[in-house]
Amino acid sequence: MDTFYISHGSPTLSIDDSIPARHFLKAWQEKGYCQRPKAILVISGHWDTAVPSVNVITGLNETIHDFYGFPKDMYKLKYPAPGAPELAKRVKELLMASEFKRVDEDRKRGLDHGAWVPLMLMYPEADIPVCQLSVQSDRDGTYHYNLGKALAPLKEEGILIMGSGSATHNLRNIGGSSVPSWAMNFDTWLKDSLLEGRYEDVNHWDEKAPSAKMAHPWPDHFYPLHVAMGAAGENAKAKDVHHSWDMGTLSYASYQFTTATS
């Protein structure tokens, strides 16, 4: 299985047909980006904890509406995908066998909108088990790359590893009809770095990238990329599978990582 980083942008992606990324995700199965997974592991920028945490859910995942001030209809949306408790335990096992000595289990938390909004478009039947893994925004890119590296065996087990965040994510600077230079410069640097395989630069993005702190004042929506990248491996080939903008500064750039064959 390839790994993916999906920019989920605004929660209105769930209802707004004018957002180009919505059509990209709705065509996911038709375009055959990956074979149907046994289960899906989502690393979402909307679950940020002190230590790696997995949600261990038996039965159906609850749909968490973790956004405020949006149209009423969005709060009625449900994505009742089954939990994936076996996958959660496997994730914990792999991480603890690596350098991560503590992994917490959350037996109540469902799916936040970083998980269910893109999945609702990609797999609308909600019949594939889903588990979430949290980010640790007080750590760095290399830490999250190594988190992904520990999870690499899942790709051979039919698991789709999907980071969900936003290629640019500065919510204090949204709006406008054109993309400002700081957002474009960061987004272009990221695309070039990934397509050229400069993963170490991406791990040290805060030192290497132009306008890094403007594009990501807080890194929670960027670190899911590092997990997907790390899970694919150091010689993986990155592919830009979608590129669009919304609200001036939100990049919906999404990437596929194919592990190099030896």
Side-chain angles (χ1 to χ4, degrees), residues 173-190:
N173 284 275
I174 52 175
S177 55
S178 60
V179 180
S181 59
W182 63 262
M184 185 63 77
N185 290 343
F186 180 89
D187 189 65
T188 301
W189 172 87
L190 177 62

Side-chain angles (χ1 to χ4, degrees), residues 48-185:
D48 190 355
T49 58
V51 297
S53 302
V54 287
N55 68 332
V56 186
I57 301 299
T58 52
L60 302 180
N61 277 295
E62 284 189 16
T63 305
I64 304 172
H65 299 91
D66 51 341
F67 42 76
Y68 309 95
F70 286 89
K72 270 193 307 190
D73 285 352
M74 288 172 57
Y75 298 93
K76 296 175 187 170
L77 295 172
K78 302 283 184 196
Y79 190 75
E86 298 83 8
L87 173 57
K89 296 290 176 67
R90 179 77 173 124
V91 168
K92 180 173 182 174
E93 174 187 288
L94 288 169
L95 292 179
M96 292 191 74
S98 183
E99 65 191 72
F100 305 92
K101 298 310 173 197
R102 178 179 162 190
V103 178
D104 285 353
E105 297 181 15
D106 189 320
R107 297 180 175 275
K108 293 182 180 176
R109 192 182 194 278
L111 303 178
D112 61 56
H113 80 268
W116 67 261
V117 169
L119 289 178
M120 173 180 274
L121 303 173
M122 295 160 68
Y123 298 105
E125 304 84 3
D127 58 353
I128 300 174
V130 182
C131 167
Q132 280 198 231
L133 170 66
S134 64
V135 296
Q136 287 72 64
S137 63
D138 59 339
R139 306 301 292 264
D140 62 10
T142 300
Y143 168 94
H144 286 86
Y145 182 88
N146 289 334
L147 199 70
K149 211 167 157 184
L151 299 173
L154 296 176
K155 295 178 314 209
E156 309 300 322
E157 298 166 20
I159 305 302
L160 171 58
I161 299 172
M162 182 179 111
S164 179
S166 204
T168 56
H169 194 252
N170 186 333
L171 299 184
R172 291 179 183 170
N173 284 275
I174 52 175
S177 55
S178 60
V179 180
S181 59
W182 63 262
M184 185 63 77
N185 290 343

Side-chain angles (χ1 to χ4, degrees), residues 214-229:
M214 193 71 174
H216 289 280
W218 200 244
D220 49 4
H221 275 57
F222 199 43
Y223 286 157
L225 167 71
H226 294 85
V227 180
M229 200 167 73

